[in-house]
Amino acid sequence: MTKALPVRKIGPYTVSAIGLGCMNLSHAYLPRPEPEQAERVLLHALEAGVTFFDTAALYGFGANEELVGRTLMHRRAEFTLASKCVLAEIDGKRGLDGSPAAISRVLEDSLRRLKTDHIDLYYLHRLDVKVPIEESVGALARAVEAGKIGAIGLSEMSAATLRRAHAVHPIAAMQTEYSPWTRNAEVAVLDACAEMDVAFVAFSPLARGFLAGNVGPEGVSKEDLRHAMPRFQPPHLEANLTLVARLGVLANEAGCTAAQLCLAWSLARRDFVVPIPGTTSIAHLDENLATLSLNLPDDLFAAVDAIFTFEAVSGARYTRDAQAQIDTETWVGEPLA
């Protein structure tokens, strides 16, 4: 029997307070699970009460959407489905195209791969500066009118861009990296979301596994997406591991894991924050969801804040090319690749 988890709101949808980011089931991080294991993780999440699944056209160049489509669509009524456009495969490579024609094309491809005629929440994955945000949102507004999507989201965009987009069509969610070690959303976006009644979906709430203790002093393999990110490279890697060690002490004293402490921290920031940790492990999935049964004190979260000040984390979060596609505010003094 499917469990019932605490819930939060995203636009017209009521979703489990912790969702599942599906990316690393078929994209970016290594080791990658076999398809059968990926399917088991998705089905276990649904049985465990997760009702919010997040994928994108980019992930595995469509392979992740195909995975979700073949695994979950026979239980379509039980969950809220989110996917993304703008970043996708173009001529066999990762490409960025926010034009209305490209958005329509990618949406049709996503619907086919997902084996559905309706995506509940559809995001602009990144801001294409060559296309006015009003035109990109307008294309999604027409998709809403056509019944192909239910609500519109943005990803890694600024408060100013959110306001421009919201003036064209109500925005249901802003998705941005957010964890104790990446707190750019606190500069302006969280306040803007509160002002406009926009949910905030926190991706990489465990810092791409780093804050869960999944990365050691050897780092990650060269084929792993994280290898190119400055925070995962020497000398930043060593400096950041000292922060993880301090986080681990706090978690041990509180009787929880570091991953649970980070997820509880994100849930406590605002009542409209929905973290979507990803995992390839059923055990880690259950550990993450068990966070929702914890009752941790505010002073513990204050201790996390004291470790992860804006200046404490070493290194830029993205490479130069990736940072060029990020519209989210930076904080004063933030290192940029």
Side-chain angles (χ1 to χ4, degrees):
M1 181 178 178
T2 301
K3 298 178 182 177
L5 297 176
V7 297
R8 292 195 169 182
K9 297 286 290 185
I10 297 180
Y13 306 108
T14 299
V15 303
S16 53
I18 293 177
L20 182 67
C22 300
M23 181 188 76
N24 61 343
L25 293 173
S26 49
H27 182 81
Y29 306 159
L30 297 176
R32 200 161 297 146
E34 293 297 324
E36 295 79 10
Q37 173 62 13
E39 292 167 6
R40 283 193 290 269
V41 169
L42 289 173
L43 289 170
H44 183 84
L46 195 59
E47 289 296 329
V50 174
T51 60
F52 184 46
F53 292 82
D54 180 278
T55 182
L58 176 70
Y59 302 159
F61 287 177
N64 197 250
E65 289 182 325
E66 290 176 348
L67 168 68
V68 173
R70 70 173 179 266
T71 306
L72 297 181
M73 286 307 136
H74 65 292
R75 298 175 63 174
R76 181 68 182 88
E78 298 179 42
F79 63 92
T80 296
L81 173 65
S83 193
K84 312 177 193 73
C85 59
V86 178
L87 277 181
E89 179 184 7
I90 300 177
D91 297 328
K93 298 180 180 179
R94 168 180 167 140
L96 177 73
D97 191 341
S99 67
I103 287 171
S104 296
R105 182 176 64 253
V106 171
L107 173 58
E108 292 301 326
D109 289 342
S110 292
L111 290 168
R112 172 180 51 80
R113 289 189 293 256
L114 288 162
K115 301 183 185 301
T116 185
D117 60 1
H118 182 84
I119 297 171
D120 300 310
L121 175 62
Y122 204 53
Y123 294 93
L124 301 176
H125 204 157
R126 292 291 187 272
L127 177 66
D128 183 353
V129 296
K130 302 184 301 298
V131 180
I133 188 65
E134 290 81 2
E135 292 186 16
S136 298
V137 173
L140 293 188
R142 291 188 288 276
V144 172
E145 292 170 359
K148 296 180 178 182
I149 65 176
I152 297 173
L154 308 178
S155 178
E156 289 278 33
M157 298 190 196
S158 66
T161 301
L162 172 58
R163 290 190 173 90
R164 287 175 59 188
H166 200 69
V168 176
H169 187 281
I171 301 301
M174 172 70 79
Q175 181 175 147
T176 295
E177 182 177 359
Y178 189 48
S179 73
W181 89 336
T182 298
R183 299 172 62 175
N184 300 68
E186 295 177 10
V187 175
V189 165
L190 284 175
D191 286 342
C193 286
E195 173 191 329
M196 290 180 276
D197 194 26
V198 174
F200 183 88
V201 177
F203 80 80
S204 294
L206 304 179
R208 305 179 188 274
F210 200 94
L211 298 185
N214 295 340
V215 179
E218 70 283 356
V220 297
S221 71
K222 292 182 179 179
E223 293 76 24
D224 191 297
L225 177 73
R226 297 168 290 182
H227 183 267
M229 297 177 175
R231 292 182 180 183
F232 289 83
Q233 298 175 344
H236 307 299
L237 175 63
E238 292 81 359
N240 292 327
L241 283 171
T242 65
L243 303 179
V244 173
R246 293 171 62 189
L247 178 72
V249 171
L250 285 181
N252 286 336
E253 291 175 347
C256 64
T257 67
Q260 290 171 336
L261 178 53
C262 288
L263 291 172
W265 176 93
S266 67
L267 289 164
R269 307 308 283 182
R270 308 284 182 108
D271 61 6
F272 54 82
V273 172
V274 179
I276 52 167
T279 185
T280 62
S281 163
I282 287 175
H284 289 163
L285 173 60
D286 287 340
E287 174 189 331
N288 292 341
L289 297 179
T291 303
L292 296 170
S293 65
L294 299 178
N295 185 18
L296 301 178
D298 290 343
D299 60 353
L300 182 59
F301 302 138
V304 173
D305 290 339
I307 294 173
F308 293 95
T309 62
F310 277 69
E311 299 80 10
V313 180
S314 184
R317 69 182 179 118
Y318 281 121
T319 63
R320 186 180 302 275
D321 288 346
Q323 184 63 42
Q325 296 179 344
I326 302 301
D327 182 49
T328 304
E329 290 85 356
T330 56
W331 48 269
V332 176
E334 179 176 354
L336 301 174

